[in-house]
Amino acid sequence: MSIRYGAATCRLAVALVTTVLSLSLTACGGGDTGSAKEKAGESAPAKKDDPKPNDAGEGNVVPDAGKTLATINGNNGFQFIIRGATRDPGGFLTVTGTLKNTSGKKAYAPVEWNGQENNVRRTGRSLAGTTLVDKTEKKRYYVLRDTDGFPLTTTGITGVNSGSEVEFFAQFPSPPDKTTQVDIQIPLMPTATIEIS
């Protein structure tokens, strides 16, 4: 009886050691993080937070290029294409569009686009000098500022390569609902009239 007990204990010990070794090898094995599907050439399903590429092969959203409210051509090699002037529920008006360098060489954004206020000059390059004019109400609207004095507009625009485009936005107080058109004035650029949606 003691021999049988010893043999059973020995078999149990061998089984236990084998299990521990196989688990250890599995846990430490190889550093290969690919799944079986990836090894077979199949792609793994996208994670929920992964950006979905658009038709241009990038991870960002490209605005509708078919809608143009105004095209503003300047003498400095820059062209502003205004694509939207939309009222937001919070009482804001957001202007969006594209800034394009139409010259044959790299062009640099003029400092006049920043605006004249000391508070926005310290925030660096921006489009804070842009204003909207409501001719009916005889009012001028400036780019809004946040609580730290930073303008609610695209910042950091300096040099733009020839043929390149930069998406931009600028946020203003919303004119009265009866106002359907405003003039947009960007320093050193011609004035253009745009429709509010």
Side-chain angles (χ1 to χ4, degrees):
M1 184 149 172
S2 62
I3 294 175
R4 285 184 191 165
Y5 178 75
T9 304
C10 185
R11 279 195 299 269
L12 182 62
V14 169
L16 184 61
V17 169
T18 305
T19 304
V20 169
L21 282 175
S22 65
L23 288 175
S24 297
L25 291 175
T26 303
C28 299
D32 184 5
T33 58
S35 68
K37 282 187 178 182
E38 289 169 335
K39 289 176 189 172
E42 298 176 27
S43 61
K47 294 178 184 174
K48 188 175 180 181
D49 296 335
D50 285 348
K52 292 189 173 84
N54 59 22
D55 293 338
E58 299 172 356
N60 57 358
V61 177
V62 177
D64 178 11
K67 182 178 178 184
T68 300
L69 300 181
T71 301
I72 306 169
N73 294 302
N75 299 346
N76 50 12
F78 284 110
Q79 177 187 72
F80 281 88
I81 301 172
I82 312 300
R83 301 208 188 278
T86 309
R87 293 182 201 273
D88 297 327
F92 309 118
L93 177 71
T94 304
V95 176
T96 57
T98 305
L99 167 64
K100 183 175 182 178
N101 176 358
T102 58
S103 72
K105 59 183 181 180
K106 187 172 185 176
Y108 294 89
V111 294
E112 287 84 357
W113 289 356
N114 298 349
Q116 298 298 317
E117 297 173 50
N118 290 332
N119 208 25
V120 294
R121 282 185 178 181
R122 70 178 175 80
T123 64
R125 293 298 182 97
S126 71
L127 297 174
T130 305
T131 59
L132 298 180
V133 176
D134 179 350
K135 290 187 284 193
T136 305
E137 296 290 317
K138 298 183 175 20
K139 289 185 179 178
R140 180 181 300 272
Y141 297 93
Y142 293 88
V143 172
L144 292 167
R145 316 298 194 240
D146 67 14
T147 54
D148 294 321
F150 287 88
L152 298 181
T153 183
T154 301
T155 59
I157 298 173
T158 52
V160 182
N161 292 324
S162 176
S164 294
E165 297 181 353
V166 177
E167 303 300 321
F168 76 89
F169 81 97
Q171 199 166 50
F172 304 86
S174 183
D177 289 344
K178 64 181 178 180
T179 300
T180 58
Q181 290 184 336
V182 289
D183 286 349
I184 183 166
Q185 297 180 338
I186 303 166
L188 305 181
M189 302 293 287
T191 299
T193 303
I194 58 175
E195 297 279 341
I196 298 174
S197 59

